[in-house]
Amino acid sequence: MQFLDSFKPELTISSPGRINFIGEHTDYNMGYVLPTAIGNKITFKLAKNGSLNKCNVYSIGLAGFSFDLNAIAISDTEWHNYILGVVNEISKLTSKVGGFDCIIESDLPLGSGLSSSAAMECGMAFGLNELFDLRLSKITLVALSQRAEHSYVGTQCGIMDQFASVMSKKGNVILLDCQSLEYQYIPIDIRPYKIIMLNTKVSHNLASSEYNTRKQECEEGVSIMKRRNPKLNSLRDVTEEMLEASKDEMSQTVYNRCSFVIDENKRVLKMVQAFKQHNLESVGNLLYDAHQGISQLYEVSCPESDFLVDFTKTNPSILGARQTGGGFGGCTLNIVHENAVKEFITKASKAYFEKFNIQLEAFEVEPSGGTSVQ
Ligand code: GLA
């Protein structure tokens, strides 16, 4: 692209991926989540180009594209829609955005359940906010990034990923109530253990797959239970008793989905207590329980993730493991004793390769800060 030859960035933005300790598929059910940003990130270098409407975006590794601010439309290339969706949402709020050039670089593995999509959306939103001095609040940037994902990408996602990408604080996880958007930072100290991510390298496109179906199944459950509980609006307010009372009126699948969400919300609150009490054994057990639900009740796991979680169960140096993120692959999160990390990665990689003929990718992450100007 022509602009690359003479590009001088005015601004560099760092936009991180995230892990979620626990609370999967609870965000769009107005429940609790416990995510944090990680060190892996997408970097945006930005500059105004003096034009009124012409925008050029180049991503190292993915090539580039140009668009006109007056003619923004959904693209056939998926990653363009993260950018276009955000610009479209910002344009609804302000007319202060003008032409800009942007170079994007990422060390966040794409489609690995670490929310590269939210990092892309939030980095773009944060960058334009700074570059054009839009003065939009962080929570506005979070919400418009989520709307961009709904309207331009087509995934009816909850708010967790965008919230974690923007709002995270180093050394903490965020306990977020997705109903009220109230949040608390929970400091975590898991020494002498480490958070080790294993990337299955299996990924599924959530937009065209089961994600939206799960959301609909939860909504179906709510509408059935609403017959007996007219004030009910989301699974957040459903108790086990309410679910049991309506069990005969719903399919086993819908029952299982609702049952998982009720349990998962409880697990989030238990995990917070476990972190506060430094009860790492309980942290690990909750991870295993959550994975069981993800796999058996919510059915968003896959043979590769199940294999890796099972693989850890006989290793006394590992406290717990589960698949993190939207599902159907991506990464498993493992709590591993620092002295056992190397051997665990070697053995897991060997076993995984023998079983699936896929080279595992393993890396350590730490709770990190949210989107920022570098
Ligand atoms: C994806 C979505 C999130 C959340 C998770 C599952 O990452 O973007 O909103 O629903 O899946 O917890």
Side-chain angles (χ1 to χ4, degrees):
M1 294 179 89
Q2 219 182 354
F3 85 93
L4 293 171
D5 302 335
S6 54
F7 184 62
K8 285 201 185 60
E10 285 174 52
L11 187 69
T12 302
I13 303 290
S14 207
S15 188
R18 64 98 188 90
I19 53 169
N20 184 24
F21 255 94
I22 204 153
E24 225 61 271
H25 294 272
T26 45
D27 60 353
Y28 54 82
N29 287 304
M30 301 299 131
Y32 299 107
V33 292
L34 200 63
T36 174
I38 56 175
N40 302 66
K41 60 189 182 303
I42 303 181
T43 305
F44 292 74
K45 291 190 168 34
L46 289 146
K48 297 186 202 99
N49 62 18
S51 77
L52 278 179
N53 305 313
K54 183 88 180 147
C55 304
N56 303 300
V57 178
Y58 180 80
S59 170
I60 295 171
L62 293 173
F65 69 108
S66 300
F67 59 95
D68 190 305
L69 286 173
N70 290 330
I72 301 171
I74 294 178
S75 160
D76 292 336
T77 308
E78 190 180 312
W79 77 267
H80 295 181
N81 288 323
Y82 298 118
I83 304 296
L84 294 167
V86 164
V87 177
N88 182 52
E89 288 298 332
I90 288 191
S91 306
K92 291 182 195 165
L93 302 177
T94 169
S95 51
K96 280 169 75 182
V97 175
F100 65 89
D101 297 334
C102 173
I103 296 182
I104 298 171
E105 194 170 3
S106 174
D107 68 2
L108 192 57
L110 301 179
S112 58
L114 300 175
S115 209
S116 50
S117 43
M120 191 76 111
E121 292 149 2
C122 295
M124 192 73 240
F126 204 96
L128 293 180
N129 195 37
E130 293 291 324
L131 192 65
F132 293 100
D133 195 22
L134 306 179
R135 303 186 186 195
L136 301 174
S137 68
K138 280 188 174 184
I139 196 68
T140 302
L141 299 177
V142 167
L144 76 85
S145 297
Q146 183 196 23
R147 289 199 299 276
E149 177 120 4
H150 289 185
S151 57
Y152 267 59
V153 184
T155 307
Q156 298 303 311
C157 65
I159 201 158
M160 168 172 73
D161 299 346
Q162 291 79 10
F163 199 97
S165 188
V166 173
M167 305 295 287
S168 288
K169 189 165 139 187
K170 192 173 167 22
N172 290 259
V173 288
I174 310 176
L175 170 61
L176 171 65
D177 177 339
C178 298
Q179 183 156 265
S180 64
L181 293 188
E182 280 170 18
Y183 62 99
Q184 265 179 57
Y185 292 110
I186 313 285
I188 69 165
D189 173 9
I190 60 165
R191 283 173 296 178
Y193 287 82
K194 302 272 186 198
I195 309 168
I196 304 298
M197 308 305 292
L198 298 182
N199 186 355
T200 61
K201 301 267 193 75
V202 179
S203 76
H204 292 254
N205 182 345
L206 294 180
S208 62
S209 71
E210 298 285 312
Y211 186 91
N212 293 345
T213 311
R214 293 297 178 281
K215 186 163 186 263
Q216 281 160 15
E217 287 162 347
C218 293
E219 284 162 4
E220 189 183 329
V222 171
S223 73
I224 292 169
M225 287 182 276
K226 214 174 160 71
R227 293 180 204 145
R228 289 166 190 272
N229 309 277
K231 288 194 180 141
L232 192 65
N233 284 318
S234 71
L235 283 184
R236 158 66 176 273
D237 299 316
V238 172
T239 60
E240 272 155 32
E241 293 70 32
M242 284 158 78
L243 180 61
E244 290 311 314
S246 298
K247 185 174 184 186
D248 294 342
E249 294 158 45
M250 57 181 74
S251 67
Q252 184 67 42
T253 302
V254 168
Y255 174 83
N256 288 349
R257 307 298 190 241
C258 296
S259 175
F260 168 77
V261 173
I262 295 171
D263 293 346
E264 186 75 350
N265 273 322
K266 288 189 193 151
R267 282 191 284 263
V268 177
L269 300 179
K270 283 187 193 158
M271 178 81 90
V272 170
Q273 286 314 312
F275 275 133
K276 285 185 175 166
Q277 293 159 358
H278 198 69
N279 184 347
L280 298 184
E281 206 172 306
S282 170
V283 167
N285 290 335
L286 287 163
L287 292 176
Y288 281 134
D289 290 351
H291 189 79
Q292 168 102 356
I294 284 168
S295 180
Q296 307 298 317
L297 296 177
Y298 218 69
E299 295 181 282
V300 292
S301 186
C302 60
E304 293 85 354
S305 295
D306 288 347
F307 176 85
L308 287 175
V309 171
D310 284 345
F311 185 79
T312 64
K313 287 187 174 161
T314 50
N315 186 333
S317 302
I318 299 181
L319 295 180
R322 72 173 193 87
Q323 178 189 262
T324 185
F328 307 104
C331 287
T332 63
L333 179 158
N334 306 268
I335 308 292
V336 186
H337 194 283
E338 60 187 5
N339 296 337
V341 170
K342 223 172 146 199
E343 194 186 350
F344 166 58
I345 292 174
T346 308
K347 286 190 172 162
S349 303
K350 185 167 178 287
Y352 191 69
F353 190 79
E354 276 168 17
K355 176 86 179 162
F356 297 105
N357 206 20
I358 302 173
Q359 200 63 57
L360 200 61
E361 190 182 10
F363 50 101
E364 183 190 340
V365 296
E366 283 178 3
S368 306
T371 321
S372 59
V373 179
Q374 262 182 15

